[in-house]
Amino acid sequence: MTTATEPTQAVCCSPLQGAPLSAEDAQTLARTVKALADPTRLRLVSLVAAHGGEACVCDLTEPVGLSQPTVSHHLKVLVDAGLMTRDKRGVWAYYALVPGALADLARVLSTP
Amino acid sequence: MTTATEPTQAVCCSPLQGAPLSAEDAQTLARTVKALADPTRLRLVSLVAAHGGEACVCDLTEPVGLSQPTVSHHLKVLVDAGLMTRDKRGVWAYYALVPGALADLARVLSTP
DNA sequence: CCGAGGCATCGACGGATGTCAATGTCCGGG
DNA sequence: CCCGGACATTGACATCCGTCGATGCCTCGG
């Protein structure tokens, strides 16, 4: 297996508070959090959400003010983390948020 | 001013979904998320929470299996991000979670 | 007063990461 | 059929980040 592109399943169940996180669970959770630990990627998530839940690269390059390869790279990170999906229709690639992903992460972080 | 230790106020209000994040808001939010984007720091948060909400460095070094300077470094990152507090009592430094910090972050990420 | 121990800081080093220009790939229109 | 445009991939580069050993500071006990 390569180290590259494994569409990680979004976070499912890690108490965080309540019981100490195992090293493996911590690594898994950190990979998801890392995907959001960048201002550009946070803006991309926000832009896609505010764009009707779906946007192509060409819709995002100008708002974030970065080159197209860089935007594609960030979107790939988000897809690999299980936070977004990619749907290529014709010439365009449409990116959309995975419905429950952010909510799941939020729930894991703030376990009641 | 140095670039070092400014106890950042925890995230307060950033829609994320709903309206596009400004570059500044993204930067601010990313700084908080970054503080959690590391397996060791996630474990430290978890360990402190499971240790009665408070723990000294000597309680944490052995569970995470890292050197004392490294653990102190990670705890400093969490304090600077506004996620933890440091209370030095006698020889020991007790670290505790900031009550609403994680919940605030979770709410910002998954704006209903 | 002095030594021991808990913790923070410093300096250094290797690996990860964000960015871009250049290039490759695929689809649709003329 | 071929050209243009949208996007992904590659390679290179600078920077950031996690980690450690060494060292300094500060507090308590003797």
Side-chain angles (χ1 to χ4, degrees):
Chain A
M1 66 190 76
T2 68
T3 58
T5 339
E6 308 177 8
T8 303
Q9 189 76 347
V11 172
C12 64
C13 22
S14 313
L16 189 52
Q17 308 187 43
L21 222 55
S22 76
E24 299 171 1
D25 287 347
Q27 192 102 26
T28 301
L29 180 54
R31 209 183 321 172
T32 303
V33 177
K34 244 183 238 282
L36 288 174
D38 180 276
T40 299
R41 289 195 287 270
L42 286 171
R43 295 192 74 191
L44 289 174
V45 168
S46 181
L47 283 166
V48 168
H51 200 268
E54 197 181 57
C56 61
V57 180
C58 57
D59 291 327
L60 303 169
T61 308
E62 181 267 340
V64 299
L66 294 175
S67 71
Q68 172 265 318
T70 300
V71 172
S72 279
H73 163 66
H74 284 306
L75 290 170
K76 176 174 167 50
V77 171
L78 290 168
V79 169
D80 289 351
L83 295 172
M84 277 194 176
T85 56
R86 193 183 93 109
D87 179 30
K88 179 147 193 177
R89 294 201 297 272
V91 180
W92 295 276
Y94 289 91
Y95 288 85
L97 293 177
V98 170
L102 279 176
D104 286 349
L105 175 59
R107 186 173 40 75
V108 168
L109 290 181
S110 71
T111 37
Chain B
M1 67 191 77
T2 70
T3 58
T5 339
E6 307 179 8
T8 304
Q9 189 76 346
V11 172
C12 64
C13 22
S14 312
L16 190 53
Q17 309 187 44
L21 222 54
S22 76
E24 299 171 2
D25 286 347
Q27 192 102 26
T28 301
L29 181 54
R31 208 183 321 171
T32 302
V33 177
K34 243 182 241 282
L36 288 174
D38 181 276
T40 298
R41 289 197 285 270
L42 286 171
R43 296 192 73 192
L44 288 174
V45 167
S46 181
L47 284 166
V48 168
H51 199 269
E54 197 181 56
C56 62
V57 179
C58 56
D59 292 327
L60 303 169
T61 309
E62 181 267 338
V64 299
L66 294 175
S67 70
Q68 172 265 318
T70 301
V71 173
S72 278
H73 164 67
H74 284 306
L75 290 170
K76 177 173 166 50
V77 171
L78 290 169
V79 170
D80 289 351
L83 296 172
M84 276 194 176
T85 56
R86 193 184 93 108
D87 180 29
K88 179 149 193 178
R89 295 201 298 271
V91 180
W92 295 277
Y94 290 91
Y95 287 84
L97 294 176
V98 170
L102 280 176
D104 286 349
L105 176 58
R107 184 173 41 75
V108 168
L109 291 182
S110 71
T111 37

